[in-house]
Amino acid sequence: MTVAVLAAIMLPAKADEIGVSEDAILFGQAAALEGPSSTLGQRMRQGIVAAFTEINAKGGVHGRKLQLISRDDGYDPDRSLAQTLRLIEDEKVFALIGAVGTPTAVATIPITSARNVPFIGPFSGAEFLRDFELANVVNIRASYGAEAEAWVKHLTEDRHFTRIAIFYQDDSFGRDGLSGVKRALARRGLELAAEGTFERNTRAVASAWRTIKRVEPEAIVMVGTYGPCAEFIKLAHRSGANPTFVNISFVGAVALAKELGPEGEGVVVTQVVPFPWDRSLKLVADYQAAQTAFDPALTPNFVALEGYIAGRLAAAALEQAGPQPTRASLLRTINDVGRFDISGSTITVGMRMLDAPPKVFLTVIQKDGTFKAVDRL
């Protein structure tokens, strides 16, 4: 055996991958941390950091602590592109995690895919992110199409509604939701009664309400964030209308309930994570404990739970990828394994999602602003 080979065996393993040092692995997040949709990015960050803090307290992954750098993109595609480039090129992160939004993902996916940077747990159900050609994207949540199917199934089968309108954000996110609703209605021989739109990062919803109210809809499905959706519901109530309102998970359910106050009673929100108050689930109990350890002032939240699951999944995949992780080996591990046990709950990713798609849950806001999980409307 040569001296060089012997020396190599005796030396500690070195980390040669970008974002991986001897004692840490660096993740980056570009998300709305300020501005009208900031609660979404902040809650995703809180969940991820809670997961990383929990993992690090147990020694990290193969002796390395997980660290997160978060940058504010204001839910704006141009800013998201700039912040993502900054994270990859200047901060030299190993992977991206917890990005928020569809229009922002449309802007950033080309550069992350070209560099094969893992894009883990984006807070978006957009169909384009589920293209298996995007080998660097790791989805955890159900698609917006799946949520739309759940809405339409319950509105038509439980409530026997036929006049269903849509209020949506006029961009790639809103149009993705619109397509899903149209497909779900078409499967039942129905069409939308009316469509109303609003501009991203605004609360300019009056024009949309004027368009929609003419058809006197029995239900209005909503594809937007908590601010404009709350504004729209309040405007409808002030006009004397009281249709069933159904919101997409991306809305930020807890923030929506807070904005609506007493007017939130009966508003439906679909969810793509388990009920964050159900401590009978070990995953939820662990999430609550981790969040409390990180910040005792925080309360359970759907978005934060999603961030926590993303953080735990990243750690579980890194554990299996071995002591010398690379971006390629992490993605290979995620796709090859496909099923990860996170505190007793199975999280399915990659091609395995085709056989075991993520679940969609129905929740209804109560008079006091809390949520009730329901199987039927």
Side-chain angles (χ1 to χ4, degrees):
M1 190 176 287
T2 67
V3 174
V5 171
L6 192 60
I9 292 170
M10 294 175 68
L11 283 171
K14 289 194 70 174
D16 295 323
E17 183 64 294
I18 293 170
V20 179
S21 65
E22 292 299 317
D23 57 3
I25 298 177
L26 191 57
F27 288 79
Q29 178 196 27
L33 302 174
E34 296 179 10
S37 302
S38 58
T39 297
L40 304 177
Q42 290 168 6
R43 296 292 177 268
M44 279 297 283
R45 174 179 162 74
Q46 286 163 1
I48 296 164
V49 173
F52 284 4
T53 303
E54 176 189 338
I55 298 295
N56 292 343
K58 297 173 182 175
V61 179
H62 295 295
R64 294 188 180 92
K65 301 295 175 71
L66 307 183
Q67 299 175 350
L68 179 69
I69 298 175
S70 296
R71 299 287 177 225
D72 174 43
D73 67 13
Y75 192 34
D76 175 82
D78 291 339
R79 286 176 62 191
S80 193
L81 180 60
Q83 294 289 26
T84 300
L85 279 168
R86 179 182 173 190
L87 286 165
I88 294 171
E89 295 180 351
D90 299 340
E91 312 280 10
K92 301 200 180 305
V93 299
F94 172 71
L96 294 160
I97 190 169
V100 172
T102 300
T104 46
V106 168
T108 59
I109 281 296
I111 59 167
T112 66
S113 293
R115 292 163 172 78
N116 204 34
V117 178
F119 195 81
I120 301 168
F123 187 61
S124 168
E127 293 295 337
F128 92 95
L129 287 171
R130 279 140 185 82
D131 184 342
F132 291 116
E133 293 294 312
L134 294 175
N136 69 310
V137 179
V138 182
N139 293 296
I140 296 170
R141 60 176 12 248
S143 69
Y144 292 146
E147 288 193 64
E149 173 61 25
W151 297 343
V152 173
K153 175 177 167 41
H154 287 282
L155 290 173
T156 58
E157 295 177 18
D158 295 350
R159 304 294 296 275
H160 306 291
F161 289 160
T162 56
R163 287 196 317 284
I164 299 170
I166 188 169
F167 168 73
Y168 67 94
Q169 187 168 293
D170 191 12
D171 63 7
S172 53
F173 161 48
R175 288 188 288 275
D176 201 286
L178 172 68
S179 298
V181 172
K182 283 184 170 180
R183 285 196 304 271
L185 285 169
R187 282 194 281 270
R188 293 160 177 87
L190 296 170
E191 292 182 353
L192 278 165
E195 299 177 23
T197 65
F198 70 97
E199 190 176 330
R200 182 178 60 247
N201 282 338
T202 74
R203 293 189 180 218
V205 302
S207 174
W209 171 241
R210 283 195 298 273
T211 300
I212 289 174
K213 72 176 180 179
R214 296 181 193 132
V215 303
E216 298 182 354
E218 297 163 295
I220 301 174
V221 297
M222 314 184 79
V223 186
T225 54
Y226 54 92
C229 288
E231 195 72 30
F232 185 91
I233 291 168
K234 289 177 181 176
L235 183 57
H237 286 165
R238 285 200 298 272
S239 303
N242 195 27
T244 296
F245 293 101
V246 183
N247 283 263
I248 205 159
S249 62
F250 186 87
V251 73
V254 175
L256 176 68
K258 186 177 179 182
E259 289 247 355
L260 285 171
E263 290 192 63
E265 185 179 10
V267 172
V268 179
V269 187
T270 43
Q271 309 293 350
V272 295
V273 295
F275 203 60
W277 296 272
D278 182 9
R279 290 179 56 82
S280 70
L281 275 177
K282 188 174 187 303
L283 172 63
V284 172
D286 286 355
Y287 150 68
Q288 287 191 11
Q291 183 167 267
T292 300
F294 162 58
D295 184 347
L298 295 175
T299 54
N301 185 286
F302 293 99
V303 182
L305 176 54
E306 188 166 339
Y308 175 79
I309 293 170
R312 286 285 307 277
L313 176 88
L318 279 168
E319 190 72 46
Q320 295 202 36
Q324 296 303 319
T326 63
R327 289 168 172 172
S329 72
L330 175 67
L331 291 171
R332 191 165 55 248
T333 299
I334 287 171
N335 287 304
D336 287 352
V337 175
R339 291 165 62 86
F340 292 87
D341 184 311
I342 309 293
S343 295
S345 293
T346 301
I347 306 299
T348 309
V349 294
M351 296 293 284
R352 293 290 184 97
M353 274 186 164
L354 295 173
D355 301 320
K359 292 178 181 173
V360 175
F361 305 84
L362 286 172
T363 61
V364 181
I365 302 176
Q366 306 298 288
K367 196 167 192 173
D368 61 358
T370 61
F371 286 81
K372 179 181 179 183
V374 297
D375 293 324
R376 289 167 55 84
L377 290 179

